[in-house]
Amino acid sequence: MSVPDLSSYAERWNRRHLLDLESLSADEITILLDVAQALKDATQGCRRKLSLLTGKTCANLFFENSTRTRNSFSLAAKRLGADTVEFGSAGSSTAKGETFADTAKTIEAMGVDWVVTRHSTPGTPNLLARELGCCVLNAGDGPHEHPTQGLLDLLTIRQHREVLEGLTVALVGDIAHSRTARSNIWGLRKLGAHVIICGPPTLVSPRWQELGFEVAHHLDEILPRCDVLNLLRIQFERQDARPFPSVHEYAALYAMNGARMKQAKDNILIMAPGPINRGVEITPEVADGPHSVILEQVTNGIAVRMSALYLLSAADDRFANSAVDPT
Ligand code: CP
């Protein structure tokens, strides 16, 4: 496969870490999306290999479960010719009392260029960015952010609608515990979309309104205006108390189902970060229906992770012998 010339993007990129979308500019997010699209095209839909990062090594340090993010980071690194190291907390020396930072430093000392980390504690990627010398990518830190999920959602919308500016995008469900919601909220706003944050009052803070976002508690009231729905899973594992009387009542008010599809725009995009709970936030007929782009989101996960690995590595190489202090 021929390697695309991405040097003009790399020259405009100055970060060695990807920790969140809140701190990125619209220009930086656009660079990440443009490179992701170029790499997706050059790898024939993320299926073929390019020799772009040969000789580099990516370590996946996952302290929480993952199917999509972990495997797609691994595939993204391999598609660009890099090696991977897979670390799972189960069976590791963390059970013997080793700290998170010491574990990460130990893996880094084996000669890795990127550490991809997922942890239940917000801020853990920022800690590693201070402690380690290599590039750090946040693969989800508790309910804080999941920047590559936000990017793959933006890329998927862009592929269907070309521009995000002016689109109305609703994030529906468990906003309070969703790192995907937070990364989408910042990314969508920066690219000019109108964001509606929708869910039960127990799962949507009124502070989003103070920050200038539209907040809604009734899906049926906002549905006819939406170009895109992103349906978030109820994260029972992060909740101390049940935020609604029953799953049945939640589904009656917020699940996207066949009857609600009749109230939606003809070209509405149905998205979900996954894993999905069929019958809770989305019914099978909608999840598997013609408006659903859920599996396209999965493929785009490889594209945006290839983009992030490439751009961070390019900045790292550029700054390696430079007096400039990179971000
Ligand atoms: N969307 C997402 O982060 O999925 P995984 O938990 O499977 O990685």
Side-chain angles (χ1 to χ4, degrees):
M1 305 288 308
S2 64
V3 177
D5 181 7
L6 301 171
S7 54
S8 63
Y9 296 107
E11 283 160 16
R12 290 159 54 206
W13 181 266
N14 291 312
R15 290 179 189 262
R16 294 176 58 246
H17 309 298
L18 180 62
L19 305 177
D20 55 51
L21 293 192
E22 186 177 3
S23 64
L24 298 194
S25 66
D27 192 41
E28 288 174 308
I29 293 172
T30 303
I31 291 172
L32 279 156
L33 298 181
D34 289 348
V35 170
Q37 190 62 56
L39 288 172
K40 183 174 182 181
D41 295 343
T43 54
Q44 295 182 4
C46 303
R47 290 174 183 278
R48 300 284 177 264
K49 283 183 111 167
L50 292 175
S51 301
L52 202 58
L53 299 174
T54 308
K56 304 235 175 200
T57 302
C58 178
N60 281 328
L61 263 68
F62 277 59
F63 290 77
E64 270 191 358
N65 296 341
S66 171
T67 298
R68 282 148 282 270
T69 313
R70 183 175 186 151
N71 289 308
S72 61
F73 260 117
S74 198
L75 277 172
K78 287 173 180 157
R79 292 285 190 265
L80 298 184
D83 297 319
T84 58
V85 177
E86 299 296 333
F87 171 90
S89 52
S92 77
S93 290
T94 52
K96 300 175 190 168
E98 188 170 70
T99 66
F100 171 67
D102 281 337
T103 298
K105 284 180 191 169
T106 301
I107 299 290
E108 185 191 27
M110 296 179 192
V112 306
D113 300 280
W114 310 268
V115 163
V116 177
T117 181
R118 170 172 286 192
H119 201 284
S120 57
T121 305
T124 43
N126 306 64
L127 171 73
L128 293 192
R130 290 193 298 274
E131 294 277 341
L132 304 183
C134 65
C135 303
V136 175
L137 298 99
N138 180 6
D141 58 333
H144 173 226
E145 277 228 33
H146 191 352
T148 54
Q149 179 70 47
L151 290 168
L152 75 88
D153 291 340
L154 296 173
L155 182 65
T156 307
I157 299 172
R158 207 176 77 161
Q159 285 168 354
H160 284 268
R161 295 287 186 275
E162 293 191 8
V163 290
L164 283 103
E165 193 163 4
L167 291 181
T168 296
V169 181
L171 301 161
V172 182
D174 187 353
I175 308 298
H177 302 96
S178 175
R179 52 198 175 206
T180 292
R182 253 162 283 283
S183 290
N184 265 271
I185 284 167
W186 300 123
L188 287 163
R189 170 177 267 190
K190 281 164 203 262
L191 296 192
H194 175 70
V195 183
I196 306 178
I197 299 172
C198 177
T202 46
L203 292 173
V204 180
S205 166
R207 298 201 62 185
W208 288 115
Q209 218 156 3
E210 293 166 26
L211 291 169
F213 294 95
E214 180 177 349
V215 167
H217 300 302
H218 299 281
L219 176 57
D220 291 324
E221 289 176 5
I222 60 159
L223 183 54
R225 286 194 282 132
C226 292
D227 297 296
V228 180
L229 284 188
N230 200 339
L231 303 162
L232 306 172
R233 184 174 66 87
I234 301 297
Q235 303 201 21
F236 293 110
E237 72 276 17
R238 295 193 202 281
Q239 296 166 4
D240 298 327
R242 185 162 281 211
F244 38 76
S246 71
V247 167
H248 178 76
E249 278 153 310
Y250 177 84
L253 287 170
Y254 298 103
M256 200 57 197
N257 54 30
R260 288 204 164 96
M261 283 302 291
K262 295 194 177 97
Q263 307 306 315
K265 287 188 178 179
D266 289 343
N267 63 349
I268 192 167
L269 286 188
I270 299 293
M271 305 177 72
I276 60 172
N277 282 329
R278 289 171 183 262
V280 182
E281 70 272 13
I282 190 167
T283 58
E285 66 186 311
V286 178
D288 305 325
H291 295 267
S292 169
V293 291
I294 294 171
L295 294 178
E296 290 176 40
Q297 290 172 261
V298 176
T299 307
N300 284 332
I302 301 177
V304 299
R305 287 162 185 137
M306 288 194 290
S307 170
L309 292 172
Y310 167 74
L311 287 167
L312 299 187
S313 176
D316 196 39
D317 290 347
R318 187 148 35 94
F319 288 121
N321 297 312
S322 145
V324 180
D325 193 19
T327 47

